[in-house]
Amino acid sequence: MERTGAWEGDHVRVLSLRETGERKESETQLHLFKRSLEASYNGVVIVDALSHDLPIIYVNPAFERITGYFQSEVIGKNCRFLQGNERDPMLVEEIRCGLVQARDVHVVLRNYRKDGVLFWNDLYISPIFSEQGVITNFVGVINDITEKKRYENELSFNVSHDVLTGLPNRALLEDRLRQGCKIAQRYQRRLAVMFIDLDGFKPINDSMGHDFGDLILVEVARRMSDQVRPGDTVARMGGDEFIVLLPDLACEDDVLPFAERLLRNISRPYRVRGVDLHVTASIGISLSDGNIKEPEQLIRQADLAMYKAKQEGRNHFQWYTRDLNLLVSERVNLRNELQRAIEAEDFELYYQPQFDGRTGRIVGMEALLRWHHPQRGFIPPEEFIPVAENTGQIIPLNLWVLDTACRQVKQLGERGVVVPSVAVNVSFVQFQRSNFVESIQAVLQKHDLNAEQLELEITETVLLNNADRSIETLQRIKALGVRIVIEDFGAGFSSLNYLKRLPIDKVKIDHAIVKDVISDRHDAAITQGIISMAHHLQLAVIAEGVETESQVAFLMKSHCDAFQGYYFAKPMPFSEVENLFGKRMLVHEPALEQSATEGRGPTILLLDDEENILRALNRVLRRDGYRILMATRAQDAFELLAKHHVQVIISDQRMPGMSGTEFLSRVKDLYPETIRIVLSGYTDLKSVTDAINQGAIYKFLTKPWDDEQLRQILTQAFRGLDPEHSHDYGMGR
Ligand code: C2E
Ligand code: MG
């Protein structure tokens, strides 16, 4: 490292190391220093302070490793090449001053490796003095702190950003919101806060796993960020809640197209790990009126408006209005009162019996939770259960339900009334808990109840796209001997493949499907599909929300096994249950008996809104021995079709509510084997030809009709039916 030569700078005088008698010793020492420099982990660079432009005279192997340059490439150069094209003038000045003042310098520089990759150089520069006190060299110690720097940056980024999506987090958002409010006030601009919450995200997250849910959140964040302008902020508040801040609006109307665009973009299908999913969002919007004292208030208002948007059916947006404040206080109240009610056990279980379709006997009952509020009266479960699920209060609540149902069934058993089964509703929150199976086992043991007497109703969506864990939980429940019913069946995406993997006993058809089953061809098809699918898998089927005789008849014809609904019995308090079983009540179901005994006698259904036409037709056709059913409204006709075996239908064309061709085309889907005839007073050729072409109509007749011709047509019609049965219909002439 010894060096002689002229220093061409103007501030340091030149001197060299003189050879002395101790040269030998000195050489040994030098060797030692060199070795230690070579072994150093930090890069070391030594420059000649006595030559022009401070050329490098030595670099150690660590320097080569850190910078990617070989010694041979850098000797003779000034170190500044490491800085690439960007220089930080402040740092350059700091180094220059240090060198001039002959003191140590410590700086952190952005440097570039030979391959162009940036590294952070934590650099110490020290002058080396000769014995005469002259600076002969500078030694630089280079420490690559890129990793540390990255980590620090990450840390500071994470303080203000959401780790998953990279969006600003709540803290940064509040900062920008305060700034935005000030600017809006100063420049008379409008500022909007949009609170965005995904619809139905929780079940996806719970059933598909959190990492799957995370992928959706990242994609949602990306789609939202794509929609905003520079200066707007998209932030994540946590979970599936986001906020968009629009700080510079000329007028509030500008928010509308933006909100619509956001909804449209979020609701485009998602494809994650080969699974197609639909996610929508609800948006609440609040606007600054120029003198908001507390900017965070805008977030609360937007949150309230979002809640309202959810209530109004999701996938849309809602503005904040003052009366929403009221709503929130109600929500908070409900939560508090629910807590009080749980502590006071202010609940009651009602039971709704379930009937076997063939025997009419009670096969079980469903336990339904009732809350009688001291002031507000009856609060329906659909109002408080979602709140309880949100707050976690559902756990103690459902444990109480389970405990009470088991205790009461046991109690009945001790009095000689054996309840075949009691069904208890399970919330997805409860189902996901790790000790769920143990809690059931404990309750069964506590009441010494036969496990076969307990059924758990689990909604299909809880298991949807099932994680293997759900199946495992079901298997453990099943191993206890407890039966499992999948409810809301048909509301999700029931796939046969999926269903056959589930260790379940029964499926429950949702009352939303049962409601229009006799007249809506889709609901009818779904119902029949579910029943045949379930039966193939040896599962029983129960229909819920059955309210009319015709629904029962239709479901019976479709081979549904059991029924629950107002038509048979409403949910009742425990005190009435015993009575019900005590009488060993058999349901006398006229429709069932009728359909069983009525055989397959040739039956014609007449539909016409004019009663005199019905009477006239009846007179003509009765003579031929047909059984005649008559209706003046399409809905009544559907009910009759549900209850009876009808082979031929004659319908008027022009009726209020539904045309004859429309009615018959629905009938075609519901009862494809029927023969359908239009008897019309006028001719709307288009609709009639359409209906004929679709195969909905067998014949088109005009009023007034010819009795003889009509009778002949009917004879032919019955002959044309299923040949196996045609002799049964051998009426007419
Ligand atoms: P769900 O399990 O589908 O229960 C059937 C609901 O339909 C009950 O309403 C019942 O009263 C009603 N219902 C029965 N027959 C008919 C009918 O013929 N027509 C009509 N329109 N409705 C009928 P409820 O008791 O108000 O319960 C509503 C929902 O609240 C239940 O739907 C269930 O999801 C939930 N729920 C009730 N009790 C509990 C409980 O103990 N735990 C949990 N997690 N959820 C419960
Ligand atoms: Mg239920």
Side-chain angles (χ1 to χ4, degrees):
M1 245 183 303
E2 179 186 351
R3 177 143 180 98
T4 51
W7 170 251
E8 291 165 10
D10 50 4
H11 55 290
V12 187
R13 266 199 320 118
V14 180
L15 266 186
S16 65
L17 266 176
R18 275 199 320 270
E19 291 204 351
T20 67
E22 298 143 344
R23 184 187 171 122
K24 188 93 183 130
E25 191 187 334
S26 170
E27 266 176 8
T28 319
Q29 226 173 20
L30 222 55
H31 183 69
L32 193 66
F33 287 151
K34 195 159 183 251
R35 289 286 309 159
S36 34
L37 279 176
E38 275 167 5
S40 164
Y41 179 77
N42 293 332
V44 175
V45 54
I46 300 173
V47 303
D48 181 358
L50 304 176
S51 297
H52 171 65
D53 208 22
L54 309 179
I56 295 174
I57 57 164
Y58 171 83
V59 295
N60 73 346
F63 176 96
E64 293 180 324
R65 173 176 49 80
I66 293 169
T67 66
Y69 290 101
F70 292 118
Q71 171 153 2
S72 56
E73 295 172 283
V74 301
I75 295 292
K77 285 189 180 167
N78 181 287
C79 283
R80 73 174 72 86
F81 70 89
L82 285 174
Q83 293 183 43
N85 292 327
E86 21 174 301
R87 307 262 160 82
D88 182 336
M90 302 279 280
L91 288 178
V92 171
E93 181 59 17
E94 194 178 334
I95 297 171
R96 204 188 65 79
C97 285
L99 299 188
V100 170
Q101 292 163 12
R103 60 170 167 79
D104 287 359
V105 180
H106 177 207
V107 285
V108 175
L109 292 172
R110 285 163 72 94
N111 279 178
Y112 292 90
R113 289 168 46 86
K114 186 179 173 187
D115 58 12
V117 175
L118 174 130
F119 72 95
W120 286 93
N121 182 357
D122 185 51
L123 176 68
Y124 279 89
I125 306 174
S126 303
I128 297 176
F129 295 92
S130 69
E131 281 170 356
Q132 286 71 25
V134 172
I135 296 179
T136 58
N137 301 83
F138 288 104
V139 58
V141 178
I142 291 173
N143 194 2
D144 179 1
I145 57 159
T146 314
E147 264 306 295
K148 183 167 161 248
K149 193 87 178 164
R150 196 181 56 75
Y151 184 63
E152 277 170 10
N153 282 347
E154 212 167 76
L155 276 185
S156 73
F157 184 83
N158 288 349
V159 169
S160 58
H161 288 76
D162 167 49
V163 181
L164 176 67
T165 58
L167 294 177
N169 63 11
R170 187 178 193 122
L172 183 55
L173 172 85
E174 285 177 357
D175 223 44
R176 295 206 181 152
L177 180 61
R178 272 190 292 275
Q179 248 176 343
C181 277
K182 272 191 213 145
I183 292 169
Q185 224 162 342
R186 192 175 312 148
Y187 299 103
Q188 308 280 303
R189 305 287 284 181
R190 300 291 251 165
L191 173 141
V193 172
M194 307 174 88
F195 201 109
I196 297 140
D197 188 286
L198 302 185
D199 303 322
F201 179 72
K202 195 169 163 44
I204 295 179
N205 213 25
D206 287 340
S207 59
M208 308 287 287
H210 287 217
D211 47 341
F212 187 96
D214 282 354
L215 293 175
I216 291 181
L217 291 175
V218 169
E219 175 61 12
V220 169
R222 195 189 60 75
R223 291 187 190 182
M224 286 202 285
S225 304
D226 282 351
Q227 295 304 318
V228 297
R229 297 177 305 179
D232 298 341
T233 300
V234 183
R236 178 165 175 232
M237 302 297 271
D240 58 349
E241 293 176 349
F242 297 87
I243 284 207
V244 174
L245 181 67
L246 306 173
D248 187 27
L249 294 169
C251 81
E252 55 204 56
D253 290 351
D254 294 354
V255 183
L256 295 181
F258 177 72
E260 277 162 3
R261 217 167 55 229
L262 217 51
L263 286 178
R264 241 193 342 267
N265 269 286
I266 294 174
S267 65
R268 278 192 287 117
Y270 294 76
R271 191 168 182 83
V272 179
R273 293 188 186 147
V275 180
D276 286 320
L277 275 170
H278 286 266
V279 175
T280 55
S282 299
I283 302 182
I285 308 167
S286 62
L287 276 171
S288 80
D289 57 3
N291 55 9
I292 286 269
K293 284 179 203 71
E294 217 193 321
E296 288 77 11
Q297 199 182 327
L298 283 171
I299 299 182
R300 281 197 296 278
Q301 292 176 346
D303 185 8
L304 274 179
M306 183 281 294
Y307 181 70
K308 180 94 188 300
K310 286 245 184 237
Q311 281 188 327
E312 286 176 355
R314 299 154 172 230
N315 197 20
H316 79 177
F317 60 86
Q318 177 70 45
W319 294 88
Y320 168 78
T321 54
R322 249 166 246 294
D323 58 332
L324 284 181
N325 266 330
L326 239 100
L327 209 96
V328 93
S329 53
E330 264 174 33
R331 198 165 33 142
V332 173
N333 275 350
L334 192 65
R335 176 183 300 198
N336 293 342
E337 303 204 20
L338 198 54
Q339 192 54 37
R340 268 196 293 277
I342 290 171
E343 281 156 20
E345 297 197 1
D346 250 351
F347 296 96
E348 188 183 352
L349 279 191
Y350 269 47
Y351 294 94
Q352 188 176 28
Q354 303 167 331
F355 296 89
D356 181 304
R358 284 179 305 273
T359 64
R361 280 171 186 268
I362 297 178
V363 285
M365 55 193 196
E366 179 176 9
L368 294 159
L369 191 54
R370 294 293 175 260
W371 179 12
H372 298 285
H373 189 279
Q375 282 87 42
R376 294 171 55 190
F378 171 70
I379 303 181
E382 264 142 353
E383 204 169 301
F384 68 84
I385 284 186
V387 175
E389 283 177 340
N390 258 327
T391 59
Q393 289 164 313
I394 194 75
I395 302 284
L397 202 53
N398 268 344
L399 269 182
W400 180 87
V401 172
L402 197 62
D403 187 74
T404 309
C406 290
R407 178 168 50 79
Q408 293 185 328
V409 165
K410 182 74 188 174
Q411 216 169 312
L412 285 175
E414 281 162 0
R415 292 193 219 138
V417 181
V418 178
V419 179
S421 74
V422 65
V424 171
N425 290 284
V426 171
S427 154
F428 66 90
V429 180
Q430 200 185 4
F431 186 79
Q432 305 292 335
R433 299 269 288 210
S434 56
N435 65 350
F436 176 55
V437 182
E438 287 75 11
S439 66
I440 294 167
Q441 194 171 17
V443 173
L444 286 172
Q445 268 168 7
K446 176 177 165 195
H447 298 292
D448 188 25
L449 189 73
N450 196 343
E452 278 84 50
Q453 282 178 279
L454 180 64
E455 273 181 2
L456 299 180
E457 287 197 1
I458 300 172
T459 59
E460 191 201 354
T461 40
V462 169
L463 311 167
L464 189 66
N465 292 319
N466 188 285
D468 290 341
R469 207 178 54 145
S470 297
I471 296 188
E472 195 205 308
T473 308
L474 292 181
Q475 275 159 347
R476 289 174 56 215
I477 296 170
K478 189 115 177 113
L480 293 179
V482 172
R483 280 184 296 188
I484 300 158
V485 185
I486 299 293
E487 74 167 333
D488 281 359
F489 205 80
F493 311 94
S494 336
S495 95
L496 182 61
N497 212 4
Y498 164 71
L499 197 64
K500 74 174 187 224
R501 291 176 61 206
L502 301 176
I504 57 175
D505 302 276
K506 204 189 272 185
V507 297
K508 197 171 201 184
I509 302 177
D510 191 33
H511 67 265
I513 291 172
V514 171
K515 192 166 156 276
D516 292 324
V517 75
I518 62 158
S519 57
D520 185 303
R521 54 190 169 207
H522 299 296
D523 289 348
I526 291 171
T527 302
Q528 287 164 339
I530 291 172
I531 294 173
S532 87
M533 179 162 100
H535 283 170
H536 274 108
L537 297 171
Q538 323 290 330
L539 305 173
V541 181
I542 179 166
E544 80 173 351
V546 180
E547 293 184 349
T548 65
E549 190 183 329
S550 41
Q551 287 168 340
V552 177
F554 183 91
L555 290 162
M556 281 289 292
K557 273 200 235 168
S558 310
H559 308 291
C560 182
D561 305 299
F563 301 87
Q564 176 184 347
Y566 296 169
Y567 179 76
F568 297 94
K570 292 202 163 178
M572 59 188 79
F574 179 61
S575 56
E576 290 174 24
V577 171
E578 183 169 4
N579 210 9
L580 194 73
F581 278 92
K583 287 185 192 150
R584 300 189 60 77
M585 179 174 146
L586 262 165
V587 191
H588 272 277
E589 174 35 69
L592 312 189
E593 291 186 348
Q594 219 165 27
S595 51
T597 56
E598 112 189 334
R600 293 191 167 244
T603 305
I604 301 174
L605 169 66
L606 305 175
L607 170 62
D608 200 307
D609 58 326
E610 285 179 64
E611 285 190 30
N612 55 345
I613 301 264
L614 289 178
R615 277 196 296 272
L617 282 170
N618 186 24
R619 266 198 307 278
V620 178
L621 300 175
R622 215 176 29 198
R623 277 186 275 147
D624 291 334
Y626 300 116
R627 192 163 65 112
I628 312 276
L629 307 170
M630 292 183 287
T632 52
R633 295 181 316 145
Q635 187 56 31
D636 298 340
F638 281 125
E639 289 190 9
L640 289 169
L641 285 169
K643 284 190 274 191
H644 304 276
H645 287 295
V646 175
Q647 292 87 33
V648 176
I649 300 146
I650 302 177
S651 169
D652 183 19
Q653 170 64 359
R654 192 153 25 171
M655 294 176 291
M658 194 185 289
S659 72
T661 41
E662 193 188 335
F663 167 72
L664 290 178
S665 74
R666 287 224 222 161
V667 171
K668 175 196 160 221
D669 289 320
L670 287 159
Y671 307 98
E673 71 285 3
T674 51
I675 287 194
R676 300 164 295 273
I677 299 170
V678 172
L679 183 58
S680 175
Y682 86 117
T683 327
D684 164 13
L685 210 54
K686 175 86 176 74
S687 61
V688 172
T689 45
D690 280 355
I692 290 175
N693 289 341
Q694 287 160 14
I697 298 178
Y698 166 77
K699 275 256 162 17
F700 179 80
L701 307 174
T702 48
K703 289 178 191 167
W705 64 90
D706 177 281
D707 284 358
E708 275 314 302
Q709 189 200 8
L710 180 65
R711 292 167 69 189
Q712 261 177 20
I713 286 170
L714 286 170
T715 309
Q716 280 166 8
F718 277 99
R719 277 210 192 108
L721 282 163
D722 183 356
E724 209 179 294
H725 296 295
S726 58
H727 62 276
D728 295 343
Y729 308 132
M731 317 282 301
R733 289 138 350 129

